Amino acid sequence: MRVSRLSVVVAAVVSAVVVVVGSEGAAVAGAGGAAAGGGGHEVDLAFHGDVTLRAGVVRVRFVPRNHGPSDLADATVRLRWSLPLVGVRRLPVGCLRSGGGGVLCRTGALEAGSLGEPVEIAARVAGRPAEVRVRIGTEWSGGAVDRNPRNNEQSVLALDTGDVYYF
């Protein structure tokens, strides 16, 4: 088999990139881990709840949960509506508006294996839409590592039927 000089150079560069990226990932995981006492402890945040839409009013209810293995001092959840919010009925304590179609909420401290306080938000969206998409996800977790992000990023399409859509 004949190997060109270019093939050797490309293989060397790819190997160097893999070593550098691999070692940086290991350094980050090791430096922030719970054993090192850093802020990068491991948690598994999840958000479960429901969404309804009726006559332009979207109601979102959810409960944050930390599946562990570490406790979490606090986290921030971002909720985004596919349409601008034109009226929000009293935000819960620990929540605030973020842009035209978003709300940020604190979870508060979550021990490993525990549920947080339920959060409920009712908001009017622009117009009388037949459907609205609500996205719910972790915005900030204090540097904690979540190796299972599938359960902390939700997207729910609610139709203007008054039906409950669970996530």
Side-chain angles (χ1 to χ4, degrees), residues 32-120:
H41 52 281
E42 186 175 345
V43 299
D44 182 10
L45 285 173
F47 306 107
H48 302 289
D50 60 74
V51 178
T52 60
L53 170 62
R54 175 167 290 175
V57 176
V58 183
R59 185 188 47 75
V60 180
R61 291 188 301 187
F62 70 92
V63 176
R65 180 174 188 153
N66 178 9
H67 291 282
S70 299
D71 295 347
L72 183 64
D74 201 358
T76 304
V77 180
R78 178 182 292 275
L79 293 91
R80 290 173 288 178
W81 286 256
S82 58
L83 295 169
L85 301 179
V86 294
V88 177
R89 298 178 184 166
R90 292 181 50 198
L91 285 172
V93 172
C95 295
L96 58 88
R97 292 286 304 267
S98 172
V103 171
L104 296 169
C105 295
R106 294 183 59 196
T107 64
L110 294 170
E111 292 181 9
S114 72
L115 295 171
E117 293 296 318
V119 176
E120 182 171 347

Side-chain angles (χ1 to χ4, degrees), residues 8-10 26 28 38-39 44 79 83 128 135 138:
V8 172
V9 170
V10 169
V28 169
D44 182 10
L79 293 91
L83 295 169
R128 278 286 295 246
R135 297 183 199 295
T138 304

